Amino acid sequence: MYEPTVARLTYRALLGRRRALILLALPALLIVIALVVRAFVGVDDKVAADLLGGFALATMVPLIGVIAGTGAIGPEIDDGSIVYLLAKPVKRPTIIMTKLTVAIAVTMVFSAIPTLIAGFILNGNGQQIAVAYTIAALVASIAYSALFLLLGTVSRHAVVFGLVYALIWESLFGSLVSGAKTLSVQQWALSVAEKVAGNGYVDATVGLPAAVILLCAVTVGATVYAGQKLRRLTLAGEE
């Protein structure tokens, strides 16, 4: 279920000069903000939790997921170059799994590692806040990558839809509307972080068992459906 050649091409597409600069921008901004906050505020566990939750997990992780998830396959479908890949003797689910693996790896590297660094800058991992939000970022990276890879497979406007989900649904409705929180990857990841961090520093509205089930369901469901869509795309091309 993993094809090295497909992976190499996907890494090259995602880590090209332009996308690499975009991917680096948000993590760099997070670390700069963490340095400024530490210099002016000092060690404050609540501030650290608020910054990592409000910026790292709520904004940075989903946006990087949009770039990595949609960029893993969307541009190839848009410009038609996916036809050359589909002509190779590689199973369609293998293509999806390989691209998903690459998208997850890229999202984790550009979101979880900066989150950990920022957390240690802010409070030295006091109350396990840095580790808690790093684990949340790792978990969210998997679900976001699968979700946005599916969007890249089914729509030519995947980036737009991904940004709408990340910025409006996750950051706005997912933070303010109680019902929407149940359908938020961010809230599911927060449930995991809540079990790691000290009491009172992470507030999740979804229970951990439900969060784990939903994370697995979205990841598996999006991956399977993306594979089916890619298979149908091949059949349409042959017809």
Side-chain angles (χ1 to χ4, degrees):
M1 298 300 287
Y2 183 84
E3 173 56 47
T5 301
V6 175
R8 184 172 64 253
L9 294 173
T10 307
Y11 274 118
R12 185 180 302 173
L14 286 179
L15 301 178
R17 182 175 300 178
R18 180 179 299 178
R19 276 202 178 89
L21 290 175
I22 297 174
L23 287 169
L24 283 169
L26 287 172
L29 179 59
L30 172 63
I31 292 175
V32 169
I33 293 174
L35 288 169
V36 172
V37 170
R38 176 61 185 269
F40 284 94
V41 178
V43 177
D44 189 314
D45 296 337
K46 187 66 169 64
V47 171
D50 289 343
L51 178 58
L52 294 181
F55 182 79
L57 189 61
T59 301
M60 183 183 72
V61 180
L63 287 180
I64 291 176
V66 170
I67 297 170
T70 61
I73 196 170
E76 291 176 299
I77 294 178
D78 290 342
D79 62 21
S81 61
I82 190 70
V83 174
Y84 299 99
L85 180 59
L86 297 179
K88 303 295 182 182
V90 182
K91 294 180 179 179
R92 305 309 173 248
T94 299
I95 294 175
I96 290 296
M97 283 300 302
T98 301
K99 288 184 173 293
L100 176 61
T101 301
V102 173
I104 290 173
V106 170
T107 305
M108 285 182 171
V109 168
F110 285 93
S111 60
I113 294 177
T115 298
L116 182 64
I117 294 172
F120 272 93
I121 291 172
L122 287 165
N123 74 335
N125 195 38
Q127 302 294 328
Q128 293 292 308
I129 290 172
V131 171
Y133 277 103
T134 299
I135 294 173
L138 290 171
V139 170
S141 295
I142 299 173
Y144 282 131
S145 296
L147 183 61
F148 296 134
L149 180 68
L150 172 61
L151 281 178
T153 306
V154 302
S155 175
R156 291 181 178 273
H157 306 289
V159 174
V160 175
F161 291 132
L163 290 175
V164 168
Y165 177 84
L167 297 178
I168 297 180
W169 183 266
E170 288 278 86
S171 298
L172 184 59
F173 289 103
S175 299
L176 301 177
V177 182
S178 58
K181 293 180 179 180
T182 307
L183 301 177
S184 168
V185 174
Q186 175 193 339
Q187 291 297 323
W188 305 339
L190 280 174
S191 296
V192 179
E194 188 177 34
K195 296 301 178 181
V196 179
N199 291 333
Y201 291 99
V202 180
D203 183 24
T205 59
V206 180
L208 183 60
V212 172
I213 292 172
L214 289 168
L215 283 166
C216 293
V218 166
T219 302
V220 174
T223 304
V224 171
Y225 190 58
Q228 293 176 347
K229 289 296 292 184
L230 193 62
R231 185 180 290 112
R232 286 199 288 269
L233 177 65
T234 304
L235 294 174
E238 291 173 350
E239 291 175 356

